[in-house]
């Protein structure tokens, strides 16, 4: 089987509510999504998506994905999409780094490989759990009152997991954590996501002040060096998210004990092929995981769900459904959707969901 054509689509996905990371530091209103259709001479078609969370979240942006694909496309043309490692090596040779630009191609290849094998991607990867995965909300609010309101909105939709964005102001952050903990329901999973918003000193102040609550903080500071510098000086559990990009990052975090949890975002780490290795580093070092899309439509959520299903149930804290935050549905209600706060793995071979091409409009680039 050979890749014969790659079509690239650009779609804007507006957020239903404006959204702030790190206590108001970064604002997001619209996501720039790139959808990729890979065609083969066998007739099988695969879909991939790359949707960064705006341009300011991590070093990734929508136009960068499309430019990266322009460079990569000639090198993957003619390859067998079922041989995902060969496609991965061709992309890494053609364009070192730029993992987020490669992820949609990797995803579309896994979609085709699954269809060819007659298996959902998670089963092709070695076996997917059918235990529904709790969806984490993403609570991008600034004040304690707004935080309660947004959490309530998600609780009404059945959500039992929440990622509450804090960061920036020590006293306000301590107060917000205490407030959320005071209304936390039994069994609810809450992660306090700083999105790199603290200096080392701010991180130490909040993380020591909150030790009595034993709550988890995600990405407290900008870099792994910062997280390493404060590690051992506080007793709060840590999840690393933005600073977990490469396999080398994963081995460093594991070896140096910098986090108890990995936040694996598929687009950031370069897709399923690379994310599966990071998963394995986590598992052998007794590190749990949140597995998510970086953003995007139900297609991106579904890709993350497949990887999440290959993580043992006890080690997978939650996934995320960005689809619940955007106003455009490119797949007409198909694919895994929120059912009482959980996503269920699709049984259809491959990814298990495809977009409506008329919603995508004309491709912005076609390579053959
Ligand atoms: C808000 N998210 C869930 C979406 C973006 O990927 C960032 C992420 C987070 O962990 O902050
Ligand atoms: Mg995060």
């Amino acid at each position: 089987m050979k890749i014969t054509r790659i079509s690239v689509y650009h779609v804007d996905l507006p957020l239903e509510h404006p959204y702030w990371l790190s206590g108001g530091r970064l604002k997001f209103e619209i996501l720039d999504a790139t959808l990729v259709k890979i065609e083969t001479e066998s007739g099988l078609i695969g879909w991939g998506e790359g949707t960064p969370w705006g341009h300011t979240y991590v070093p990734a942006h929508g136009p960068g994905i499309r430019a990266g694909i322009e460079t990569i496309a000639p090198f993957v043309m003619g390859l067998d999409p079922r041989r995902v490692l060969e496609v991965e090596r061709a992309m890494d040779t053609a364009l070192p780094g730029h993992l987020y630009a490669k992820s949609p191609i990797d995803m579309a290849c896994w979609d085709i490989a699954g269809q060819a094998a007659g298996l959902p991607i998670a089963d092709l990867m070695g076996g997917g759990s059918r235990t529904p995965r709790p969806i984490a909300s993403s609570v991008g609010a600034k004040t304690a009152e707004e935080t309660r309101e947004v959490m309530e909105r998600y609780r009404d939709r059945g959500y039992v997991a929440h990622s509450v964005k804090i960061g920036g102001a020590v006293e306000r952050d301590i107060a917000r954590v205490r407030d959320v903990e005071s209304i936390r329901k039994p069994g609810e999973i809450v992660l306090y996501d700083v999105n790199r918003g603290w200096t080392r000193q701010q991180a130490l102040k909040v993380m020591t002040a909150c030790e009595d609550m034993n709550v988890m903080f995600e990405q407290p500071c900008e870099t792994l060096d910062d997280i390493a510098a404060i590690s051992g000086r506080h007793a709060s559990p840590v999840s690393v998210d933005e600073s977990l990009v490469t396999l080398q990052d994963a081995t460093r975090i594991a070896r140096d004990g910098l986090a108890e949890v990995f936040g694996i975002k598929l687009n950031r780490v370069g897709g399923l092929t690379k994310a599966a290795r990071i998963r394995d580093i986590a598992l052998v070092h007794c590190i749990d995981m949140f597995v998510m899309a970086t953003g995007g439509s139900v297609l991106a959520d579904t890709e993350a769900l497949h990887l999440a299903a290959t993580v043992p149930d006890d080690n997978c804290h939650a996934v995320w459904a960005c689809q619940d935050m955007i106003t455009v549905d490119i797949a007409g209600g198909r694919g895994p959707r929120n059912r009482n706060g959980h996503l269920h793995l699709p049984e259809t071979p491959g990814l298990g969901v495809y977009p409506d091409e008329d919603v995508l409009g004309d491709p912005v680039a076609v390579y053959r």
Side-chain angles (χ1 to χ4, degrees):
M1 191 189 300
K2 282 183 174 34
I3 297 175
T4 51
R5 195 190 340 208
I6 301 177
S7 306
V8 179
Y9 301 82
H10 171 201
V11 194
D12 281 332
L13 303 175
L15 295 180
E16 189 179 358
H17 301 277
Y19 176 99
W20 288 267
L21 281 183
S22 303
R25 194 167 55 105
L26 305 172
K27 188 178 184 193
F28 301 88
E29 286 176 300
I30 200 162
L31 304 179
D32 175 329
T34 302
L35 275 292
V36 172
K37 177 165 82 167
I38 292 189
E39 291 169 74
T40 59
E41 94 294 357
S42 71
L44 288 181
I45 292 173
W47 283 96
E49 174 174 358
T51 305
W53 189 247
H55 300 173
T56 50
Y57 170 55
V58 288
H61 70 147
I65 296 185
R66 297 185 287 276
I69 293 173
E70 184 180 355
T71 302
I72 292 165
F75 295 87
V76 300
M77 203 60 65
L79 297 184
D80 186 334
R82 297 167 302 179
R83 302 174 73 110
V84 290
L85 296 178
E86 284 176 15
V87 175
E88 180 196 30
R89 281 178 212 132
M91 292 197 286
D92 286 344
T93 308
L95 183 69
H98 300 274
L99 302 180
Y100 73 101
K102 299 166 181 169
S103 142
I105 304 250
D106 175 83
M107 176 176 168
C109 288
W110 276 101
D111 186 14
I112 292 170
Q115 293 174 53
L119 295 170
I121 289 173
D123 286 347
L124 185 62
M125 293 182 89
S129 166
R130 266 50 178 181
T131 308
R133 296 292 181 227
I135 311 172
S137 71
S138 195
V139 183
K142 285 191 277 192
T143 63
E145 296 69 44
E146 281 165 11
T147 306
R148 282 178 177 236
E149 270 170 39
V150 178
M151 278 181 72
E152 218 35 66
R153 200 162 74 214
Y154 281 107
R155 280 173 170 160
D156 289 346
R157 297 181 191 171
Y159 281 54
V160 293
H162 307 275
S163 171
V164 177
K165 308 303 167 191
I166 58 170
V170 167
E171 294 310 324
R172 183 182 64 183
D173 287 341
I174 296 170
R176 279 180 66 208
V177 173
R178 290 214 175 274
D179 190 64
V180 170
E181 288 303 305
S182 75
I183 57 158
R184 183 174 183 158
K185 300 197 168 141
E188 245 175 2
I189 301 163
V190 181
L191 175 73
Y192 295 94
D193 193 350
V194 189
N195 290 118
R196 324 186 307 279
W198 288 331
T199 62
R200 295 181 187 186
Q201 212 180 9
Q202 288 174 319
L204 275 175
K205 280 187 185 150
V206 183
M207 293 167 87
T208 48
C210 294
E211 276 169 4
D212 59 303
M213 293 177 282
N214 192 35
V215 296
M216 178 162 303
F217 294 95
E218 185 159 271
Q219 194 69 35
C221 305
E222 187 74 33
T223 65
L224 283 185
D225 285 341
D226 300 323
I227 293 170
I230 59 166
S231 167
R233 298 178 62 198
H234 63 82
S236 292
V238 170
S239 162
V240 171
D241 180 343
E242 288 97 306
S243 291
L244 172 59
V245 181
T246 65
L247 195 57
Q248 288 87 342
D249 295 332
T251 53
R252 176 182 174 193
I253 297 164
R255 184 192 56 224
D256 295 348
L258 303 186
E260 286 68 37
V261 166
F262 279 1
I264 302 179
K265 297 263 192 332
L266 270 294
N267 184 248
R268 184 185 64 232
V269 305
L272 287 161
T273 307
K274 293 185 192 297
R277 299 189 190 105
I278 295 177
R279 170 204 60 201
D280 292 340
I281 296 287
L283 288 175
V284 292
H285 289 91
C286 305
I287 292 172
D288 289 344
M289 282 159 267
F290 286 88
V291 182
M292 303 187 177
T294 310
S297 76
V298 62
L299 273 75
D301 294 340
T302 307
E303 179 195 28
L305 180 61
H306 280 287
L307 184 74
T310 69
V311 176
D313 294 349
D314 287 345
N315 304 101
C316 183
H317 290 204
V319 297
W320 178 48
C322 186
Q323 55 180 289
D324 281 354
M325 297 175 71
I326 56 181
T327 57
V328 174
D329 184 356
I330 63 166
R334 293 185 300 275
R337 304 285 168 162
N338 170 22
R339 273 163 52 193
N340 206 17
H342 291 74
L343 291 184
H344 296 245
L345 192 73
E347 295 297 340
T348 328
L351 184 67
V353 59
Y354 57 91
D356 288 324
E357 290 190 49
D358 47 346
V359 178
L360 303 183
D362 291 332
V364 292
V366 178
Y367 308 96
R368 7 171 155 245

